[in-house]
């Protein structure tokens, strides 16, 4: 295989080829590690939105407590549920304990306590079910939680509960509702929305189905070849802007560095030549071409070192001819 280690040309494909050739036993090791992993789903949201009711509908009143949070404060209770795919999932419940603490704390501190508790649950989760009440407004607290989910790189399913209380529903109700949710929770535009009625158990299992899909997306790896194809097409369609001095952002190559959340590294001539608006464009292009529904994705932009650039100008030119637009 022809590669250029300096510019990175072809190294992603080389890595893919090496991985393909790995002994099967090694590959099995990795997947069995994945098999024993128990993904966690946290059920969070403001008081009274129906978190406990959802949990009861999912696992029943007699749920078995598998592990209280370590440390002095027990601020969430974990239980386990087996999904339709046969995989065991851990549910992190912040609601049951809240009641007791709320009574103990009382007053204005209660709200603050429940937000902090939700933050800790988000940190431990893989996927967060953010529950909102269909008939109540989306507030700053929901927005704060959504922001934290994105910051922590967690998957998310938005659960609109108490759907039974929405009057005069027709086929357009969910469309209107979705518009409102998207407008108010902008950072979560990629999260699927599930409409539930926990009081009679309606559609509650859809939360688990959606969370399972999200967890799969969050763990998905793209091949370097597909990734670079998408990225280069996106650059051909809309090249980065030139600076006043005529400088132009150039991309050498892109690689997926991590999963959970999917993280992509863009190796470029100068990262500052790719403004925020361009980075958002690239994220949109990635999402529309390769999915990643329900999970934040991270795009990291790395400048090639100056010394590399100066001394290896000719190698870079070779790479640019191949990859830039
Ligand atoms: P939590 O504080 O978020 O755990 O909320 P709860 O599960 O305790 O629910 C608060 C109240 O809302 C209770 O009176 C529930 O019976 C009611 N509730 C929960 N889910 C629904 C629902 O889907 N529809 C209706 N109508 N009421 C619900």
């Amino acid at each position: 295989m022809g590669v250029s280690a300096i510019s990175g040309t072809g190294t992603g494909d080389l890595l893919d080829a090496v991985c393909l050739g790995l002994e099967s036993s090694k590959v099995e090791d990795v997947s069995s590690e994945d098999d024993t992993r128990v993904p966690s789903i946290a059920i969070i949201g403001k008081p009274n939105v129906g978190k406990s009711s959802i949990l009861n509908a999912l696992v029943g009143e007699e749920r078995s407590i598998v592990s209280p949070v370590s440390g002095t404060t027990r601020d969430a209770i974990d239980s386990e549920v087996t999904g339709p795919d046969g995989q065991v999932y851990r549910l992190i419940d912040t609601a049951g304990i809240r009641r007791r603490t709320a009574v103990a704390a009382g007053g204005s501190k209660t709200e603050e306590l429940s937000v902090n508790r939700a933050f800790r649950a988000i940190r431990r989760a893989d996927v967060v079910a953010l529950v909102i009440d269909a008939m109540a407004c989306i507030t700053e607290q929901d927005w704060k939680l959504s922001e934290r989910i994105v910051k922590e790189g967690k998957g998310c399913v938005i659960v609109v509960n108490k759907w039974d209380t929405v009057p005069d529903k027709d086929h357009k109700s969910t469309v209107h509702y979705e518009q409102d949710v998207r407008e108010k929770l902008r950072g979560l535009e990629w999260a699927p929305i599930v409409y539930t009625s926990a009081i009679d158990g309606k559609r509650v299992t859809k939360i688990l189905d959606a969370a399972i899909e999200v967890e799969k997306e969050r763990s998905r790896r793209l091949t370097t070849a597909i990734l670079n194809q998408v990225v280069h097409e996106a650059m051909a369609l809309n090249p980065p802007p030139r600076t006043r001095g005529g400088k132009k952002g150039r991309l050498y190559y892109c690689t997926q560095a991590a999963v959970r959340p999917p993280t992509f590294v863009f190796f470029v001539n100068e990262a500052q030549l790719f403004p925020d608006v361009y980075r958002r464009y690239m994220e949109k292009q990635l999402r529309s071409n390769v999915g990643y529904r329900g999970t934040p994705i991270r795009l990291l932009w790395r400048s090639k070192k100056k010394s590399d650039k100066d001394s290896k100008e000719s190698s870079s030119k070779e790479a640019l001819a191949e990859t830039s637009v």
Side-chain angles (χ1 to χ4, degrees), residues 283-301:
E283 176 173 348
K284 272 201 181 131
Q285 288 293 310
L286 266 181
R287 283 190 183 280
S288 64
N289 283 287
V290 289
Y292 289 112
R293 190 160 182 257
T295 176
I297 58 175
R298 292 195 170 139
L299 275 54
L300 308 176
W301 299 77

Side-chain angles (χ1 to χ4, degrees), residues 27 29 61 71 75 183 204 220:
V27 174
D29 280 353
E61 299 274 354
D75 64 2
E183 209 166 283
V204 171
R220 187 155 65 94

Side-chain angles (χ1 to χ4, degrees), residues 123-171:
R123 176 154 297 169
R124 292 202 296 127
D126 294 293
V127 180
V128 178
L130 175 59
V131 187
I132 50 190
D133 179 336
M135 290 303 282
C137 292
I138 295 172
T139 62
E140 171 145 9
Q141 190 171 331
D142 297 308
W143 185 79
K144 263 191 201 163
L145 295 175
S146 74
E147 225 191 1
R148 183 59 70 110
I149 294 167
V150 176
K151 195 169 161 213
E152 299 264 357
K154 307 299 180 162
C156 182
V157 176
I158 298 171
V159 181
V160 179
N161 189 40
K162 307 196 187 181
W163 194 238
D164 56 292
T165 61
V166 175
D168 308 324
K169 280 194 290 282
D170 62 20
H171 62 286

Side-chain angles (χ1 to χ4, degrees), residues 101-282:
T101 325
V103 173
S108 61
K109 277 216 149 174
T110 313
E111 187 92 331
E112 207 177 299
L113 273 171
S114 77
V115 174
N116 286 333
R117 188 162 301 119
F119 282 176
R120 284 193 291 274
I122 291 171
R123 176 154 297 169
R124 292 202 296 127
D126 294 293
V127 180
V128 178
L130 175 59
V131 187
I132 50 190
D133 179 336
M135 290 303 282
C137 292
I138 295 172
T139 62
E140 171 145 9
Q141 190 171 331
D142 297 308
W143 185 79
K144 263 191 201 163
L145 295 175
S146 74
E147 225 191 1
R148 183 59 70 110
I149 294 167
V150 176
K151 195 169 161 213
E152 299 264 357
K154 307 299 180 162
C156 182
V157 176
I158 298 171
V159 181
V160 179
N161 189 40
K162 307 196 187 181
W163 194 238
D164 56 292
T165 61
V166 175
D168 308 324
K169 280 194 290 282
D170 62 20
H171 62 286
K172 284 194 181 142
S173 301
T174 53
V175 178
H176 290 143
Y177 207 93
E178 173 162 2
Q179 272 173 358
D180 187 49
V181 172
R182 298 291 180 216
E183 209 166 283
K184 289 179 182 143
L185 300 176
R186 278 188 195 274
L188 296 178
E189 71 269 13
W190 36 260
I193 305 178
V194 179
Y195 299 85
T196 59
S197 181
I199 205 154
D200 46 21
K202 270 198 191 137
R203 298 179 60 83
V204 171
T205 54
K206 298 275 173 209
I207 300 172
L208 197 56
D209 296 344
I212 291 170
E213 280 307 308
V214 167
E215 173 60 8
K216 268 193 210 146
E217 287 292 283
R218 202 167 159 263
S219 313
R220 187 155 65 94
R221 261 184 203 285
L222 284 182
T223 67
T224 308
I226 289 182
L227 178 62
N228 280 276
Q229 190 184 332
V230 170
V231 166
H232 284 117
E233 271 170 21
M235 286 196 73
L237 205 65
N238 175 20
R242 275 180 194 277
T243 62
R244 283 203 186 149
K247 265 192 174 177
K248 190 179 165 190
R250 292 186 188 283
L251 171 77
Y252 299 118
Y253 77 111
C254 179
T255 188
Q256 183 171 359
V259 291
R260 301 188 207 115
T263 304
F264 303 94
V265 187
F266 287 71
F267 291 95
V268 297
N269 55 344
E270 284 178 52
Q272 68 268 28
L273 294 175
F274 294 81
D276 281 351
V277 61
Y278 196 81
R279 295 176 185 203
R280 281 196 293 277
Y281 158 75
M282 190 55 84

Side-chain angles (χ1 to χ4, degrees), residues 43-56 93-96 98-99 131 133 160-165 196-202 204:
I43 301 172
I44 66 161
K46 285 180 301 195
N48 290 318
V49 290
K51 297 181 294 296
S52 303
S53 310
I54 287 171
L55 202 92
N56 289 339
D93 164 31
T94 51
R98 175 185 57 76
R99 282 214 175 73
V131 187
D133 179 336
V160 179
N161 189 40
K162 307 196 187 181
W163 194 238
D164 56 292
T165 61
T196 59
S197 181
I199 205 154
D200 46 21
K202 270 198 191 137
V204 171

